């Protein structure tokens, strides 16, 4: 993957995050875990006094992440990605397999990274029971 392709892929992640119909301009955080046959992605929106977890709106981001990950050299391939979008600009950090504690859960790592980027704010999660339910529950 050339530098132009690399930059275009990263810019595409930002465009995807800005397609959120409810929060297109909110500061956004994407945390993705990649491994053969599996993708886990967490999307959060910084709404000022709290952070909101957002479900991906479609599978486009997952496929783009997979394509980007598969284009990286095998043995040096990153395992997790932190992507922060602020004011139309992005910052990316890559986490490699040897940097990950195998006993630590993805959720713990993603929450630590989220707080590092957006501070210690309450995090709201949508209802898991009913996708038509717009209510949000907050972690203590």
């Amino acid at each position: 993957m050339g530098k132009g392709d690399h930059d275009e892929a990263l810019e595409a992640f930002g465009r995807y995050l800005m397609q959120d119909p409810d929060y297109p301009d909110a500061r956004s955080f994407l945390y993705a875990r990649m491994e053969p046959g599996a993708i886990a992605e967490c999307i959060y929106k910084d709404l000022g006094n709290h952070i909101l977890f957002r479900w991906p709106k479609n599978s486009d981001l997952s496929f783009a992440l997979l394509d980007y990950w598969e284009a990286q050299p095998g043995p040096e391939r990153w395992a997790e990605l932190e992507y922060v979008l602020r004011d139309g600009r992005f910052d990316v950090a890559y986490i490699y397999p040897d940097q990950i504690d195998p006993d630590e859960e993805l959720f713990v790592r993603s929450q630590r990274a989220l707080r590092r980027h957006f501070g210690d704010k309450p995090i709201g999660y949508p209802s898991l029971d009913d996708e038509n339910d717009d209510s949000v529950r907050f972690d203590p």
Side-chain angles (χ1 to χ4, degrees), residues 93-140:
Y94 301 97
I95 299 95
Y96 294 88
D98 64 346
Q99 298 172 303
I100 296 171
D101 177 351
D103 296 326
E104 186 177 46
E105 294 182 20
L106 171 68
F107 181 76
V108 172
R109 288 191 304 278
S110 68
Q111 294 298 294
R112 185 174 51 246
L114 174 64
R115 295 201 185 290
R116 188 173 60 250
H117 292 288
F118 290 164
D120 193 22
K121 299 177 183 181
I123 303 170
Y125 295 91
S127 171
L128 295 175
D129 299 327
D130 181 0
E131 66 183 48
N132 295 319
D133 181 358
D134 291 335
S135 65
V136 174
R137 71 170 172 76
F138 285 88
D139 275 353

Side-chain angles (χ1 to χ4, degrees), residues 28-140:
S28 303
F29 178 67
L30 164 66
Y31 195 91
R33 167 80 177 155
M34 310 294 291
E35 55 188 53
I39 301 171
E41 61 209 321
C42 304
I43 299 172
Y44 297 91
K45 297 290 184 160
D46 182 356
L47 302 181
N49 62 349
H50 70 280
I51 297 166
L52 184 63
F53 175 85
R54 300 293 283 171
W55 294 111
K57 297 299 179 193
N58 59 48
S59 57
D60 291 349
L61 179 60
S62 297
F63 289 123
L65 283 164
L66 182 60
D67 289 345
Y68 182 66
W69 182 72
E70 288 179 341
Q72 306 305 307
E76 296 117 29
R77 187 178 285 158
W78 51 271
E80 296 181 1
L81 171 132
E82 296 177 15
Y83 185 100
V84 179
L85 181 65
R86 289 182 180 101
D87 302 320
R89 298 180 57 99
F90 64 85
D91 292 307
V92 179
Y94 301 97
I95 299 95
Y96 294 88
D98 64 346
Q99 298 172 303
I100 296 171
D101 177 351
D103 296 326
E104 186 177 46
E105 294 182 20
L106 171 68
F107 181 76
V108 172
R109 288 191 304 278
S110 68
Q111 294 298 294
R112 185 174 51 246
L114 174 64
R115 295 201 185 290
R116 188 173 60 250
H117 292 288
F118 290 164
D120 193 22
K121 299 177 183 181
I123 303 170
Y125 295 91
S127 171
L128 295 175
D129 299 327
D130 181 0
E131 66 183 48
N132 295 319
D133 181 358
D134 291 335
S135 65
V136 174
R137 71 170 172 76
F138 285 88
D139 275 353

